[in-house]
């Protein structure tokens, strides 16, 4: 049986660092949005607060971000993992989400995520599921949808 749940999250903190740029070795800066004409690789440590079906304060997330070469409509992609500790529809525990997404030159982010098999604990042991979100630049919170089951 699959359960569908929804909610929203907000970014509590975003710490980003440039790792490398085409033609350079990385400037150590923290503003990925200022990409030059070539691709750039960055990492970000992010803290989110979830409400709704997932209730979790202060998740821990790490992203690897690729800022693409400047092409109309394109900006880049990212992958990452997020440790979520809290409740899922009232069941307490923790789990890890593997996340993958893209973002465009207007700052709209599209992400899909999946529970990492074997990562769930507590009342969420055996959790499996997939979901996603679309974040629009400047919006204060991001709506998510999550379909899951428990073994």
């Amino acid at each position: 049986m699959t359960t569908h749940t929804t909610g929203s999250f907000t970014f509590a903190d975003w710490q980003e660092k440039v790792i490398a740029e085409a033609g350079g070795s990385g400037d150590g800066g923290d503003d990925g949005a200022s990409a030059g004409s070539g691709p750039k690789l960055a990492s970000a440590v992010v803290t989110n607060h979830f409400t709704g079906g997932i209730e979790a304060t202060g998740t821990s997330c790490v992203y690897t971000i690729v800022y693409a070469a400047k092409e109309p409509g394109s900006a880049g992609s990212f992958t990452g993992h997020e440790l979520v500790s809290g409740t899922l529809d009232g069941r307490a525990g923790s789990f890890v989400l593997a996340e993958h997404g893209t973002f465009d030159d207007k700052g709209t982010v599209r992400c899909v995520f999946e529970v990492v098999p074997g990562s769930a604990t507590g009342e969420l042991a055996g959790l499996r599921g997939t979901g996603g979100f679309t974040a629009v630049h400047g919006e204060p919170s991001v709506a998510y949808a999550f379909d899951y089951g428990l073994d």
Side-chain angles (χ1 to χ4, degrees):
M1 181 173 136
T2 300
T3 301
H4 180 78
T5 196
T6 60
S8 64
F9 68 91
T10 58
F11 296 107
D13 191 36
W14 184 287
Q15 299 295 321
E16 186 170 326
K17 180 177 180 180
V18 173
I19 303 301
E21 296 181 67
S25 60
D27 63 11
D30 60 0
D31 183 8
S34 63
S37 61
K40 184 187 304 191
L41 184 63
S43 64
V45 177
V46 181
T47 303
N48 294 316
H49 296 314
F50 280 78
T51 60
I54 299 171
E55 292 282 341
T57 300
T59 66
S60 297
C61 184
V62 178
Y63 289 121
T64 299
I65 305 166
V66 175
Y67 290 94
K70 294 294 184 188
E71 295 179 19
S74 173
S77 66
F78 63 92
T79 59
H81 290 88
E82 185 163 15
L83 174 61
V84 179
S85 296
T87 61
L88 171 60
D89 289 335
R91 294 181 185 91
S94 62
F95 55 94
V96 175
L97 295 173
E99 302 178 6
H100 176 75
T102 60
F103 51 95
D104 64 24
D105 56 358
K106 293 178 176 52
T108 300
V109 176
R110 290 173 179 78
C111 178
V112 294
F113 55 79
E114 176 178 15
V115 175
V116 173
S119 68
T121 66
E123 294 176 312
L124 299 174
L127 178 68
R128 64 194 182 309
T130 59
F133 63 84
T134 299
V136 177
H137 183 70
E139 292 292 319
S141 67
V142 179
Y144 66 84
F146 184 44
D147 296 314
Y148 70 91
L150 290 165
D151 291 333

